[in-house]
Amino acid sequence: MNPFFDISDDEDLPDNELPLKNLGNQQIYATIGARRGSEFWGTSGTSSKTFYENTTPGHYDRQFAYKLQKWKPIYDIDRLIEHHYKYYISIHKQGDEFLKHMRYVILPMLKKQRNTDVCIDIFEQWLQKQIPLGTHNFNTVTNNTINVGSINAPTQFQQNSDHSVQTQNTHYQKEDVKTAFELIQQDIQHLNEQIRKDFAMEMDYAMIQLERNKEIKPQLSNIGTLIKDIGIGTFTNLLAAPIFELIRPHLGL
């Protein structure tokens, strides 16, 4: 099939689903139309003939590019891309090849199509976000704590302000996050398999992002949303642990 995408077993999967539709073993390559006969001359027509080709990874690339163009709402296509990125990461652990495939295969496909400017813009923004934090020239405030010495002059600290030239990034201690995730895993053991899979996908992806020195705020937010959907009272081990107060703001709880 194609290793870069989550491909469903369903050949009739609705277009608004995140996975790609299974294309089967063959695709229509060409159809030669029927030729109409002449009643006056007493000649018969010829029936149409269809030619097939084997399904290739390229067919799935084109399906993904088309899905991006048609996704609604268009500003939500990053959710579609993230789904397949997380799927790839869950199997291959490293996402570098996925990012290359998006930039050098899928993006050129989009650029060849008409009326895809908005789609291309959002897609390029998503790709830019995947650059490791260490490659940016950031003025970083570690753990949101600012130590101020003896300052006699008026001083202004600007954090997350619109149009600011500063960028603030929250740094997480990997062991703290890992501890919190282990407690969450204990608390969800009795829940159904799909819920456990949803948590596992977000937590596994977050740990991989931490290893690569990347921001995990979106993943923590998603985990917090899952916790709220289930009910925070379910997470007794997490609530009872000292780590909860540290991780709580990042979960949005």
Side-chain angles (χ1 to χ4, degrees):
M1 292 185 178
N2 189 312
F4 296 105
F5 305 113
D6 177 17
I7 300 173
S8 172
D9 293 329
D10 189 356
E11 295 186 12
D12 298 313
L13 189 74
D15 292 337
N16 61 353
E17 294 291 335
L18 291 168
L20 296 188
K21 184 184 302 183
N22 192 308
L23 297 177
N25 295 324
Q26 290 189 318
Q27 297 296 296
I28 295 176
Y29 174 71
T31 299
I32 299 177
R35 182 174 62 83
R36 186 175 179 180
S38 170
E39 295 180 2
F40 181 81
W41 294 106
T43 59
S44 61
T46 58
S47 59
S48 63
K49 188 172 184 180
T50 302
F51 297 88
Y52 294 88
E53 63 179 348
N54 291 333
T55 302
T56 67
H59 287 103
Y60 287 101
D61 289 334
R62 289 190 286 275
Q63 183 190 168
F64 184 66
Y66 181 79
K67 197 177 188 77
L68 288 171
Q69 296 173 57
K70 300 300 180 182
W71 193 257
K72 294 182 179 179
I74 187 64
Y75 54 76
D76 199 33
I77 64 170
D78 53 351
R79 185 167 66 93
L80 173 61
I81 308 167
E82 281 282 345
H83 174 83
H84 291 277
Y85 187 36
K86 290 177 182 177
Y87 172 80
Y88 184 85
I89 288 284
S90 69
I91 297 173
H92 300 87
K93 305 306 178 185
Q94 295 292 329
D96 292 348
E97 289 300 314
F98 181 92
L99 298 178
K100 290 179 183 177
H101 194 75
M102 294 299 106
R103 183 174 294 280
Y104 300 116
V105 177
I106 303 302
L107 187 56
M109 284 184 177
L110 292 173
K111 290 182 176 180
K112 289 179 180 178
Q113 303 302 314
R114 300 176 61 184
N115 302 319
T116 57
D117 291 348
V118 174
C119 182
I120 291 169
D121 183 52
I122 298 172
F123 193 75
E124 289 181 329
Q125 287 181 38
W126 183 89
L127 285 170
Q128 185 65 22
K129 289 178 183 177
Q130 309 314 310
I131 297 175
L133 295 179
T135 63
H136 292 284
N137 184 20
F138 287 151
N139 293 320
T140 304
V141 181
T142 304
N143 291 327
N144 296 328
T145 300
I146 303 174
N147 295 318
V148 182
S150 299
I151 299 178
N152 297 318
T155 304
Q156 178 184 21
F157 293 96
Q158 192 174 41
Q159 298 188 53
N160 287 347
S161 301
D162 292 339
H163 311 300
S164 170
V165 295
Q166 293 178 314
T167 302
Q168 176 187 356
N169 291 284
T170 304
H171 288 253
Y172 309 94
Q173 296 295 325
K174 185 172 71 171
E175 289 306 315
D176 291 340
V177 174
K178 183 179 180 182
T179 298
F181 286 176
E182 288 173 349
L183 293 169
I184 291 173
Q185 286 178 327
Q186 294 174 24
D187 288 329
I188 64 174
Q189 286 305 307
H190 65 286
L191 301 179
N192 70 53
E193 183 181 3
Q194 185 57 55
I195 292 175
R196 296 199 305 272
K197 284 183 177 179
D198 290 342
F199 272 98
M201 177 174 286
E202 296 292 347
M203 292 190 292
D204 290 347
Y205 185 46
M207 293 307 298
I208 291 170
Q209 293 292 79
L210 275 180
E211 292 288 349
R212 301 180 66 194
N213 193 33
K214 289 186 177 180
E215 179 63 79
I216 63 168
K217 183 178 179 180
Q219 289 70 51
L220 291 178
S221 178
N222 291 341
I223 292 168
T225 299
L226 290 171
I227 290 175
K228 285 186 283 189
D229 288 345
I230 295 166
I232 194 169
T234 301
F235 298 84
T236 54
N237 289 299
L238 178 64
L239 291 172
I243 193 68
F244 177 64
E245 290 305 319
L246 177 64
I247 201 73
R248 180 175 185 168
H250 305 301
L251 296 172
L253 300 175

